[in-house]
């Protein structure tokens, strides 16, 4: 079974403006959408669209938390969230005004007893299970929260995917995660550099592999993605043709497609192809990728 964990889920409030964002003024939208988001939840939604059975774990709170949980259930996404007694699940604002501007909230406070409930859920995982840890953790939690989870899972045969940034990512590498997926900017941030060429990206991916990551998938938005697989082979893929409507969740969709593809065939070329089709299908849609859109793009790759 596949499990995803989202420590800080979100309602993604996507607003479209007719021109550019005006600071210090009233801006009015021409269109708006709500998405049930947070990185692990996006992975769960797209895995579900691809017919991969999975359960979304994480923490929800208040009326927005109920909205998120009910909305996911209505879409057929299986969840087993922990309900926090205080606070509300955050609303992240995504402004489409030519360029994309994002305002991501802090999220509610997660207490020790809440964390203990998650630990108990994860203690049930074993051989044959996959776990996706994705997104930021709220400021109230220790910076080594992901690390502690990986320590506890060591030797239990669980395939772990981590999609996080900076220290949250770097500190888990020693536990040999199956997959990490930084984008090219996040990869550059880790090394304090701006990466422009495939050679630079491959060299930095190799350094993360040397620290323990098994497969390093580097996404580059409209420039596609590069995978350095566990055998040291580099795979490169561009993107299919299409009109970008909203790329919120494109990276998470790529993780879902990659994992689904790898679990289907155990083949890295196929995993990268399905990951690319899923990522671009989301970028070319107003919400997350549907099965139909993914299949349509797959046929062109
Ligand atoms: N502008 C785009 N055009 C086509 N495909 C895109 C675009 N943006 C994202 N994608 C697809 O989604 C994948 C992940 O996108 P990216 O923006 O790199 O991830 P993240 O959301 O993690 O930053 C890309 O590798 C690509 O397949
Ligand atoms: O946990 P973080 O880092 O604040 O990110 C949460 C945000 O990331 C998203 O999951 C989108 O991520 P990507 O665009 O990188 O795939 C949104 O749904 C959500 O608002």
């Amino acid at each position: 079974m596949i499990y995803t964990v989202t420590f800080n889920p979100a309602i993604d409030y996507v607003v479209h403006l007719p021109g550019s964002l005006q600071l210090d003024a009233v801006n009015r939208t021409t269109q708006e959408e709500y998405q049930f988001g947070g990185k692990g939840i996006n992975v769960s939604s797209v895995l579900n669209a691809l017919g991969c059975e999975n359960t979304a774990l994480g923490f929800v709170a208040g009326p927005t938390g109920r909205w998120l949980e009910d909305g996911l259930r209505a879409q057929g996404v299986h969840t087993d969230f922990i309900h926090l007694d205080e606070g509300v699940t955050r609303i992240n604002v995504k402004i489409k005004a030519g360029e994309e501007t994002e305002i991501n909230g802090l999220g509610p406070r997660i207490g020790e007893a809440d964390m203990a409930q998650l630990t108990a859920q994860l203690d049930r995982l074993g051989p044959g299970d996959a776990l996706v840890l994705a997104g930021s953790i709220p400021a109230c939690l220790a910076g080594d929260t992901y690390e502690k989870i990986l320590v506890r899972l060591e030797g239990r045969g669980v395939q772990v995917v981590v999609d996080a940034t900076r220290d949250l990512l770097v500190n888990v590498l020693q536990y040999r995660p199956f997959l990490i997926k930084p984008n090219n900017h996040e990869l550059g941030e880790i090394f304090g550099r701006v990466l422009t060429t495939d050679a630079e990206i491959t060299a930095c991916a190799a350094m993360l592999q040397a620290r323990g990551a098994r497969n390093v998938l580097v996404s580059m938005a409209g420039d596609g993605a590069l995978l350095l697989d566990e055998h040291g082979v580099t795979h490169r893929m561009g993107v299919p043709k299409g009109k970008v409507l909203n790329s919120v969740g494109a990276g998470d969709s790529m993780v879902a497609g990659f994992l689904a593809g790898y679990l289907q065939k155990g083949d890295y070329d196929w995993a990268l192809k399905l990951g690319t089709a899923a990522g671009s299908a989301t970028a070319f849609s107003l919400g997350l990728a549907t099965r139909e859109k993914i299949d349509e793009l797959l046929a062109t790759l």
Side-chain angles (χ1 to χ4, degrees), residues 16 21-22 30 43-44 52 70 107 112 115 127 154 156 167 177 192-194 198 200-201 203 221 227 246 258 272:
H16 301 252
L21 175 68
Q22 303 297 310
T30 51
V43 174
S44 273
C52 288
D70 292 347
E112 272 177 36
M115 266 308 287
E154 259 197 314
R156 301 226 311 258
D167 287 355
R193 295 163 51 187
V194 174
D198 278 12
E200 289 170 343
I201 288 169
L227 168 71
N246 166 26
F258 186 95
L272 180 58

Side-chain angles (χ1 to χ4, degrees), residues 84-138:
L84 303 171
D85 289 337
E86 285 172 23
V88 290
T89 289
R90 64 191 172 151
I91 297 176
N92 287 347
V93 183
K94 316 284 174 173
I95 303 165
K96 312 280 152 197
E99 291 177 335
E100 296 186 352
T101 306
E102 307 197 10
I103 304 172
N104 289 359
L106 279 176
R109 198 184 159 274
I110 297 170
E112 272 177 36
D114 308 310
M115 266 308 287
Q117 283 189 58
L118 178 70
T119 306
Q121 287 178 323
L122 298 182
D123 277 350
R124 294 198 281 268
L125 271 60
D129 289 329
L131 177 68
V132 181
L133 294 174
S136 62
I137 53 167

Side-chain angles (χ1 to χ4, degrees), residues 8 10 12 37-39 42 90 92 94 102 104 135-136 247-253:
N8 211 349
D12 289 332
K39 294 199 191 309
N42 290 340
R90 64 191 172 151
N92 287 347
K94 316 284 174 173
E102 307 197 10
N104 289 359
S136 62
S247 63
V248 172
D252 310 330
S253 306

